Amino acid sequence: MTNAQKWVTAFLGIFIVLFFIGRFTKEEVDYTEEHNSYESQEPVQLDGLALINKIGCVSCHGSDLKGTGLAPGLYSAKEYWSREKLIGYLRNPSSYNGDDRFEAYKTQYKSLMPSYSNIDVDQLGIIADYLLSLENK
Ligand code: HEC
């Protein structure tokens, strides 16, 4: 081998080693990205009851959603709400101040319904569908 051939062989060797290191590192990055996108999709996959638990509606409305001293039960939602109105209410409950039912709630319950306008409307829709599916027994 001439000196020039030795250099070429050495460079090829280094190139091949770097190529494999590159591949190895890239696979690691891909794995993390996949993992992250899986996690960010997770909330969308939750069903209505899981969202209600996660957001904490149960802390006022009760773990069975049948009401506590803090807030009314939610089993009558179907009697009072259409899907659109219910989503609107969850986003801005104070817009119903002045309605007879809500005036009575004010004296009856020791907390206020928070506004959930920070929550994705699609998720509020899933919650609304769940509440409207509850049968009042
Ligand atoms: C801090 C306590 C609290 C939390 C948390 C809370 N609520 Fe309420 N909610 C109330 C109170 C009090 C009322 C009674 C009406 C009012 O104050 O506006 C109410 C009223 C309601 C009503 C109307 C009931 C009716 O008779 O029509 C619905 C529906 C409702 N809440 C759903 C939810 C959902 C869904 C969540 C979670 C995303 C939630 N609430 C979280 C306190 C709470």
Side-chain angles (χ1 to χ4, degrees), residues 44-97:
V44 180
Q45 291 162 351
L46 291 178
D47 64 19
L49 184 57
L51 282 168
I52 283 170
N53 278 300
K54 187 179 166 215
I55 294 167
C57 318
V58 288
S59 62
C60 293
H61 290 281
S63 55
D64 54 3
L65 298 180
K66 294 202 166 154
T68 68
L70 291 174
L74 298 178
Y75 270 70
S76 308
K78 204 159 53 176
E79 287 171 36
Y80 304 127
W81 301 103
S82 68
R83 186 176 194 270
E84 291 311 306
K85 282 203 164 149
L86 183 48
I87 293 172
Y89 172 75
L90 296 175
R91 290 175 57 79
N92 184 14
S94 59
S95 62
Y96 286 83
N97 283 349

